[in-house]
Amino acid sequence: MAMGTARRTPLVSRRRQGFAVVSAAAPRLIVMLLAVAAMPSSSVAAAAGSPEVVELTLLANAREKGAVCLDGSPPGYHLQRGFGSGEHSWIVNLEGGAWCNTTEDCSDRKMTDLGSSKFMKAIEFEGILSNKRSQNPYFYNWNKVDIRYCDGGSFAGDAEGKDRNGTKLFFRGLRIWEAVVDELMGKGLATAKQALLSGCSAGGLAALLHCDDFRARFALEVPVKCLSDAGFFLDAKDLSGERLMRSIFSGVVQLQNVRKVLPKDCIAEKDPTECFFPAEFIKNISTPTFIRNSGYDSYQVGNIVAPGGSDPGQSWASCKADIRNCTSAQIEALHGFRKELVEALEVAQRKRDWGLFIDSCFNHCQTPFRISWHSPISLRLGNKTIAEAVADWYIGGGHGVKEIDCEYPCINPTCSSQLDL
C-alpha cells in the first residue's frame, strides 16, 4: 500500500500539512460545529479570524545547487517577517504530506504540489504560524517560515532515479533543507536571538531528523529548540501481524538514500530502516525538543494499526471513522498502540530539557490549525493549550512540561471539540 499519493487541493490553507486521513471527519465536524455554536459570539470571532496569505518564494539558483523538487523544479518557502520584540526571533516550519516510496508513487507525486513547485500557491499562516496574538500568544510576532515539501522523503534524501517515462526523478530533500536554510541565514536567520524548528506529520519527522543540524548553525548562547507534531511514527504491527510502516520506510530509505541524516551509531548496528524511526534516532538528539502526539493518532490508527489490507471485512471502518464507535476488542488494540508509543517516549521523558504533550484525543496534526493550537475550544492537558505548553517549555527549559493523558475513554472534555485534522 503506497502512502505517498495523497492529493491536496490548491487552496491557500494550512490543512495541506496533514496526510490523507482514512477516517471520515463528518462526525467530528458536527461536534465541532455544535461546540462553536454554543460559544459566545465574541469567542467565535476570536477563534476564527482571517489568516494572512503569504506568498511563495522560490529558492534562488536551485538547479545549480541540485536542490530541486521531484520533477526538477526549484523548491519554495513562505516567509513572514517578524516585528517588535520578535524581530530577531525565528520559527522555521517543515511542511508535511506523507512519503513516496516507489518510482510509481513518486512519478504520480511530481504532478502535484507535493512534488513540484509548478503547482504551489500562496498559503495562509495560522496556528503556530499566525501573526495574531490572540491565536498565537508567544510566537505571533516572530519571523515565520514554512518550507514547502516536494521531495517525498521528509527532507532527507540525496539521490536520483527515473520515472515510468524514463525522465529523471530527483530525490533531493537533504539538499533542499540545506539550501533553503542557507538562503534564510542570509535573510536574517543568522542573527537570530532565538529560534525554533517545527513541523507536523512527515514534517514533524523531518524536524527531528534535522534538529541537531539546525542547532549547530547558531552560536551556543542562542536558544535553539525543536518541535515535532504528530511526527513520532511507530514500527508497529497491523491487524495481520505485518509492519506496513516498516515497509514504507524501507522503500524511502532505499529509493531516496537517506543514510546521510541517520545517526552513525545506529546504522553501524542496525538496519537503516530501523534508524529512520523516531524511537531509535531520538536517542541521539541533543537539542531540547518538544514532542506532540496523540496516543490514538488517527492517521496511524487508520494506516498502521488497521490499514485496509489487514482488515478485508472492513470491521474496523466504523472505529477508524470515530473512536467512540470502537468495540471493546478494538479499544484494547488501540491501548496496545498507545502503550508502545508511551514506552518509546521514555527516552524523551528522561531528558530534563525536553517537553511532551501526549493527548488521548483521536487526532493527527494540531499545531498548524488556529482552533487546535490556541482557541477557546482547543484541547488541553494540565489546563494548558498546546500553544501555552510549548511556550512554557520554550521559556522554562522543559521543566514540568511533560503531559501524558490517561487512556481512552478517560474523560478529557476538550477532546470532543477537536476535528480530525
Side-chain angles (χ1 to χ4, degrees):
M1 174 185 173
M3 283 190 177
T5 55
R7 291 288 190 272
R8 297 180 302 175
T9 54
L11 300 175
V12 286
S13 172
R14 292 311 311 143
R15 284 171 178 81
R16 69 181 60 250
Q17 284 278 8
F19 292 74
V21 181
V22 296
S23 55
R28 279 167 299 281
L29 179 57
I30 293 171
V31 171
M32 175 71 81
L33 293 176
L34 290 174
V36 173
M39 292 165 54
S41 57
S42 58
S43 297
V44 174
S50 299
E52 182 172 342
V53 175
V54 182
E55 296 298 324
L56 177 71
T57 299
L58 294 179
L59 177 69
N61 304 314
R63 290 185 178 87
E64 290 84 347
K65 299 170 183 175
V68 293
C69 298
L70 286 169
D71 70 335
S73 61
Y77 60 91
H78 306 262
L79 169 61
Q80 184 183 67
R81 291 291 183 178
F83 56 93
S85 61
E87 184 179 2
H88 297 290
S89 302
W90 286 74
I91 289 180
V92 177
N93 186 71
L94 297 171
E95 189 181 53
W99 309 269
C100 61
N101 64 307
T102 66
T103 296
E104 293 74 17
D105 227 6
C106 296
S107 296
D108 289 339
R109 194 178 180 97
K110 78 173 190 177
M111 301 305 296
T112 73
D113 63 346
L114 283 169
S116 172
S117 61
K118 296 174 184 176
F119 303 97
M120 294 178 185
K121 308 290 184 182
I123 62 173
E124 293 175 345
F125 272 17
E126 56 179 293
I128 194 173
L129 297 178
S130 173
N131 66 349
K132 294 177 173 55
R133 191 168 190 169
S134 62
Q135 298 174 19
N136 193 16
Y138 187 71
F139 303 105
Y140 73 98
N141 63 351
W142 287 30
N143 296 278
K144 294 179 285 288
V145 183
D146 187 68
I147 302 179
R148 298 298 292 273
Y149 181 39
C150 66
D151 64 278
S154 284
F155 297 91
D158 190 4
E160 288 184 12
K162 289 186 178 181
D163 69 10
R164 290 171 298 204
N165 300 320
T167 57
K168 278 188 176 181
L169 281 170
F170 298 91
F171 307 117
R172 298 289 180 77
L174 178 57
R175 297 195 197 189
I176 291 171
W177 157 256
E178 292 173 341
V180 171
V181 174
D182 284 347
E183 184 162 300
L184 293 172
M185 295 294 274
K187 292 187 174 184
L189 181 59
T191 58
K193 294 183 179 178
Q194 54 185 344
L196 176 68
L197 176 65
S198 68
C200 94
S201 205
L205 176 68
L208 293 173
L209 287 167
H210 294 299
C211 184
D212 280 348
D213 176 68
F214 188 66
R215 158 73 272 184
R217 292 170 179 265
F218 302 90
L220 290 177
E221 63 269 18
V222 177
V224 180
K225 301 185 180 184
C226 305
L227 165 61
S228 173
D229 176 17
F232 204 95
F233 296 93
L234 292 184
D235 184 17
K237 290 182 179 179
D238 65 22
L239 300 176
S240 65
E242 299 296 321
R243 294 181 184 270
L244 177 61
M245 203 68 199
R246 183 182 296 183
S247 174
I248 297 299
F249 275 8
S250 177
V252 174
V253 168
Q254 300 304 319
L255 184 67
Q256 300 219 23
N257 183 28
V258 307
R259 295 175 66 98
K260 291 181 182 178
V261 304
L262 302 179
K264 292 181 174 59
D265 291 347
C266 184
I267 59 176
E269 299 179 359
K270 300 181 179 181
D271 183 276
T273 297
E274 191 173 350
C275 300
F276 198 56
F277 282 95
E280 283 299 324
F281 67 73
I282 67 165
K283 299 173 184 176
N284 294 275
I285 297 176
S286 59
T287 305
T289 299
F290 191 101
I291 294 176
R292 204 288 333 166
N293 257 73
S294 169
Y296 304 92
D297 183 286
S298 57
Y299 178 79
Q300 295 197 59
V301 168
N303 294 281
I304 298 175
V305 178
S310 70
D311 183 30
Q314 296 299 301
S315 62
W316 274 71
S318 181
C319 176
K320 291 191 294 185
D322 191 325
I323 195 171
R324 292 168 295 185
N325 297 330
C326 298
T327 66
S328 58
Q330 289 167 338
I331 290 294
E332 282 304 307
L334 297 184
H335 286 341
F337 174 83
R338 176 188 177 276
K339 184 172 183 287
E340 279 193 60
L341 175 69
V342 172
E343 289 176 352
L345 287 169
E346 286 180 0
V347 174
Q349 292 186 58
R350 291 195 298 268
K351 295 188 177 186
R352 189 165 178 263
D353 53 0
W354 282 43
L356 291 173
F357 194 98
I358 310 301
D359 61 79
S360 289
C361 307
F362 196 51
N363 58 43
H364 190 48
C365 287
Q366 294 289 294
T367 59
F369 308 104
R370 59 183 179 271
I371 289 177
S372 52
W373 173 244
H374 185 74
S375 78
I377 57 173
S378 294
L379 70 85
R380 284 169 168 77
L381 289 182
N383 202 33
K384 295 177 182 177
T385 64
I386 301 167
E388 291 167 337
V390 170
D392 287 352
W393 160 78
Y394 195 95
I395 297 168
H399 309 315
V401 188
K402 287 188 172 70
E403 298 286 350
I404 299 179
D405 211 352
C406 53
E407 282 188 348
Y408 180 87
C410 68
I411 303 303
N412 182 341
T414 62
C415 282
S416 64
S417 62
Q418 296 305 301
L419 176 64
D420 187 6
L421 297 167

